Structure formats: C-alpha cells, structure tokens
Amino acid sequence: MAKRGHKLSHAAHVKRATQGTSNELSFSVLDAARESLDGGTEKRSGRRARPRGAMSGRGGEGPLAKLGHIPLFTLGGARKPPSTPTKERGITLPSGEFVSTESPSAARGGALPPVTSRGTSSRSAGRAPSSVLGGGAHRSAADCGSSWQVPAGEVARRKSQRRRHRLAVAAAVAAGAVVAVGFLGTLGYSFIQAQSALRGDLAVALGAIQRADEGILPMDSQVTTRINEGVESGDPAQAREEWDALSPQVDQSLEQLQEARAAVEAVQSSLVDARDKEAANRALAAINARENMIEAGRSIMATALPALSAQRATEDAWAHLLEADSLSRDAAAALSTMTRDTVSDSMAKSEQALAGFIAARDALTQAAQDYPAVDFSPYLAYLDLRVDSQYAAIASDQAYLARDKATMSEQNARYNELDAQAAAAAQAFEANPTELVGPSCDRATADMEAAYSSERLQAADADAFLRDYLSSLGN
C-alpha cells in the first residue's frame, strides 16, 4: 500500500522546473474533469459528490478514501499532456445534423470525438476521463474525415434547390417580361388608336377650313379686282350689290374658321408625330391668314367701293361741266348780233348750260358725300358761280325780249362779273375732279392691300402643305 501511495503521490507531483512547459498540468482543468466524473458517478449511484479536499494522496498523506475508484492523477502512458478541450466549430444542416468545419488534425491531443449533435460529444457520460486526456484509443482516419465532409445527399439536395431557385427566377423574369410586353403592346395600341382619332379630328377641322373657302374665294375675287383695277373701271352699283350679297357668306366663313380653330387647338397639344404637329400649326396659320384676309378685304372694299362711286360721280360731273361750259360759250356767241331770234337762241342755250352746271354740281356733291377723303369744295364753289352766271344771262335775255333795257343791262353786268369770278376760280384748280379720287383711294388702301397680299400668300403656302397632308391620309 505504501508503494502504491508513493506512486500516486509521484504521479500527482508537479515539478517547479516545468512551469511554463508542456509538462505542466492545469489543476483547474483536471479538477473540473474530476468533479464532472465524480458528479456523474454519484448521480448514477445516488450518492453525493465528494468534496475536493477529501481525496487522499495530495502531499503523500494516507491512503485513498475510496479504494477501487480510478484516481484523478492516474495518467496513461502518453507523456504529452492533452490540450484543453474546446467546443468544436461547425455548421448545422437544415436536416438537424451538425457538420464540423475543423481540420482533422486541428486538435493537439489527437482526433476529436465525432459530433452527433450540436454541442455534444460522442463519448458517453460514463466513459473514463482518460479518453479526454488522450490516454484512450485514437480514432481512424475515416472517422476523422467524416466529421467535416458534407454528405453526398446534402450536396445533391443543395444543387437541386439552387436549380429550382434559378428556374423559379427565370420563370418569374419570363412572366414579368410577358406581362411587360403585353402591357406595352396594349399601351402602344391604345396610343396608336388615340393618335389616329386625333388625326381624324384634325382632318375634320381641315374640312371646316375648306368649307369656309366657299365664301372666302368669291370675296378674294372681288377684292383682287378692286386692287388690280382700282377705281378706274367697274360699275359702282353692281359692285356694291355683289359685295353686299357676299357679306352673309363671309360671316358664315368666319364662324366656320372659328370652329376649325377650336378643333385644331383641342388636338394640337396631344399630337406626337412631327408631321401631325406641323399640320396643326399650318392649319392655325391658314385660319389666321383667312381671318386676316377677311378683315383686310373688308377694309379695302369699305374704302374702294365709296371711292368707286365717287369716281363715277366726278366723271359725270366733269362731263356735265364740260358740256354746260360749251353751251354757255355758244349762248354768248349767239349774241354777236342782237335780234329777237339770236336772243331767243342764246337764251335757249343758256338754259341748257344752266341745267348742265346744275347736274355737274349735284354729281360733285354726291361724290363729296361718297368719298369725304377728297375735298371737292373748290369745284362746288366754281359750279355755284357758273350756275348763278347762267341765271343772270337768262334774265338779261328775257329783259331784252321784254324791252326792259335797265334790267337787261343790270343782269348782263352781273353775268359778266360772275363769269369772271368763275374763270378766276378755275385757275386755282390743280387738276380736274376725276384725277383726285383714284390717287386718294390708292394711298388710303396701300397698307391694307399689302397686308391682304401677305395674308393671301401665307394662306396659299399653308394650303399647299395641308393638301399634301390630306393626300397622305387618303382624303
């Protein structure tokens, strides 16, 4: 027994010279292992664990308290002390199996026990602690390799799962692409249909412009005639009648243009195609040009028609004046010899001259009313003198036939005075009345005619594009 105690105390002895070397044992680890072993043994036997200081042999005193129990310091034949046990690192598979990720040679004391579940070792609770300290039997290489290799079934399962995931992603992408293509196709079809409808509305608006031309084209003909011919030709009454008859059609054309404008503006902002947008812009340009043409044309005709009437009146007045002046001269020439026959003949010519001067004055008065832009007052004053002179001439002839020499002399002197005044007034004329209206009308309508011609060209340019556009639509 003494020899056995000596061996035990020798095994439990720690040399001071071994501090910090591999031969030094950690008492805390050994004590923990001993207490774990003792606790497990006594749990199975129903007994309490022995206190730490109850073990005999520490310091070489006395025998062991429990004979037959494996001493904690009874070590195996391996000289190298085992490393401190550590928790094995690894991953837990979805199936619940734990797979180690450590190398088989990672442990310094040999191969670690195979892991059967997370955080537990394959050794049983009742196995001797010598296996922990490296004194037991070592595992084979196959056992070590199986602790970190992934099972073949798990590899196949993962591959299958990744393949199914890729197929699911591909199917989702394909489905999304089909939905997107369908949506875009529907959207594109709706867009095309909407643009086609807008294009149809634009064509309707262009049709309204064409209908407006039914009143604009006759107006353009009359206005162009007045611009080209001026006031030199044309029947004022007929021109006025035709223009007045055309006025309701022009009003209707304006209404149609306003409707066309509203229709074009309603679709203009929604059009996408560049040619459709250009057609809408050209349509508005055509509408604006036509409205401006109507405005300018009416202004031109409002000036030209009265000027045309005034021109004809001045022509008539001038003709009457020339005729009356000739008769007046013939009447004066007939009195070269004073007989009842010559005086009677002179008086008849004077009466005709008087009627001519009165007709000339009336015509010129009408011209002044028709076209106030020209001042006819000097000519009217002249005609007043000529009329009064003829009254005096007729009165002198009547006094001669009545043998009233005093009255004849008085009226004859008055005639001569009035005739001299008329001659002096005629010397101040710059031109005859027929040369006044035309130039005045041209000056008044010059800007209007220029504007009308410009709008007419713009309308023609827009119409050329719109005709091509409607042709492209099949209209």
Side-chain angles (χ1 to χ4, degrees):
M1 293 296 292
K3 185 177 183 178
R4 182 179 177 183
H6 174 72
K7 291 181 179 180
L8 182 60
S9 63
H10 179 74
H13 179 67
V14 178
K15 296 180 179 180
R16 296 180 180 178
T18 61
Q19 184 178 4
T21 64
S22 60
N23 292 327
E24 182 181 2
L25 297 179
S26 174
F27 283 100
S28 62
V29 174
L30 296 177
D31 290 344
R34 177 183 57 77
E35 292 175 359
S36 175
L37 181 60
D38 292 344
T41 304
E42 297 201 5
K43 282 182 181 179
R44 287 191 298 271
S45 60
R47 292 180 298 175
R48 296 176 59 183
R50 182 182 302 274
R52 181 175 180 179
M55 181 178 292
S56 178
R58 179 176 303 181
E61 296 179 0
L64 292 174
K66 180 184 178 182
L67 298 176
H69 189 73
I70 299 176
L72 181 62
F73 292 153
T74 303
L75 304 179
R79 293 187 178 184
K80 184 177 181 180
S83 61
T84 303
T86 58
K87 186 178 181 179
E88 186 176 9
R89 291 177 294 179
I91 58 174
T92 302
L93 301 179
S95 60
E97 183 179 0
F98 181 80
V99 178
S100 174
T101 58
E102 295 183 354
S103 174
S105 59
R108 285 184 292 178
L112 293 176
V115 177
T116 57
S117 63
R118 185 172 184 177
T120 60
S121 174
S122 62
R123 63 181 179 85
S124 63
R127 183 173 297 180
S130 59
S131 63
V132 178
L133 301 177
H138 292 277
R139 296 179 182 272
S140 64
D143 293 337
C144 294
S146 63
S147 64
W148 60 270
Q149 290 181 351
V150 179
E154 177 64 19
V155 173
R157 188 188 67 79
R158 291 187 180 184
K159 288 184 179 180
S160 177
Q161 184 178 6
R162 287 196 295 270
R163 184 167 55 254
R164 288 194 301 270
H165 177 70
R166 287 194 295 269
L167 291 176
V169 172
V173 172
V178 171
V179 172
V181 170
F183 174 75
L184 292 177
T186 303
L187 184 62
Y189 178 77
S190 301
F191 173 78
I192 293 174
Q193 291 295 106
Q195 289 296 307
S196 178
L198 293 174
R199 204 173 291 117
D201 295 339
L202 180 59
V204 172
L206 298 181
I209 297 176
Q210 290 179 333
R211 290 191 298 273
D213 286 343
E214 295 177 0
I216 295 176
L217 292 178
M219 179 207 73
D220 178 68
S221 177
Q222 293 192 31
V223 173
T224 303
T225 299
R226 286 300 101 216
I227 293 175
N228 295 333
E229 297 182 0
V231 297
E232 304 301 328
S233 63
D235 184 359
Q238 182 179 358
R240 171 62 69 178
E241 181 180 358
E242 292 176 352
W243 179 254
D244 291 342
L246 186 61
S247 182
Q249 297 183 29
V250 175
D251 292 337
Q252 184 177 2
S253 296
L254 278 176
E255 294 177 359
Q256 292 170 340
L257 290 176
Q258 292 173 359
E259 294 176 359
R261 178 190 296 279
V264 173
E265 291 177 347
V267 302
Q268 184 181 25
S269 59
S270 301
L271 293 173
V272 175
D273 185 75
R275 186 169 175 81
D276 295 336
K277 289 184 176 181
E278 182 64 18
N281 293 334
R282 293 298 185 95
L284 292 177
I287 293 171
N288 292 333
R290 282 166 168 78
E291 290 178 345
N292 293 335
M293 282 177 62
I294 293 175
E295 182 180 0
R298 283 181 163 175
S299 298
I300 292 172
M301 296 301 286
T303 302
L305 290 178
L308 181 63
S309 298
Q311 179 65 23
R312 295 297 169 268
T314 57
E315 293 173 356
D316 292 342
W318 186 249
H320 289 301
L321 188 149
L322 294 178
E323 183 181 4
D325 183 72
S326 177
L327 290 172
S328 175
R329 294 177 186 275
D330 291 343
L335 297 176
S336 59
T337 57
M338 298 292 293
T339 63
R340 293 184 64 88
D341 293 335
T342 56
V343 170
S344 296
D345 183 49
S346 174
M347 187 175 63
K349 288 181 172 39
S350 294
E351 290 175 350
Q352 293 177 5
L354 176 61
F357 285 129
I358 291 175
R361 186 178 61 183
D362 292 343
L364 205 58
T365 300
Q366 184 63 45
Q369 294 176 358
D370 292 340
Y371 196 71
V374 174
D375 185 12
F376 293 105
S377 58
Y379 299 92
L380 292 173
Y382 168 79
L383 289 174
D384 288 339
L385 293 173
R386 296 303 300 267
V387 169
D388 292 341
S389 67
Q390 294 305 308
Y391 278 122
I394 293 172
S396 176
D397 291 339
Q398 290 175 347
Y400 176 82
L401 294 176
R403 302 296 181 172
D404 186 355
K405 293 183 179 181
T407 303
M408 181 187 71
S409 298
E410 180 184 352
Q411 293 298 326
N412 189 50
R414 185 170 180 270
Y415 167 80
N416 291 331
E417 181 181 359
L418 292 173
D419 188 67
Q421 291 177 4
Q427 294 296 325
F429 294 160
E430 296 180 358
N432 66 66
T434 61
E435 298 175 355
L436 301 177
V437 177
S440 177
C441 181
D442 292 340
R443 290 190 299 269
T445 60
D447 294 340
M448 304 176 196
E449 292 175 1
Y452 184 87
S453 298
S454 175
E455 298 297 337
R456 193 169 185 265
L457 290 175
Q458 292 183 21
D461 181 67
D463 290 351
F465 180 88
L466 294 176
R467 280 193 295 270
D468 294 339
Y469 178 75
L470 290 175
S471 298
S472 65
L473 297 180
N475 295 332

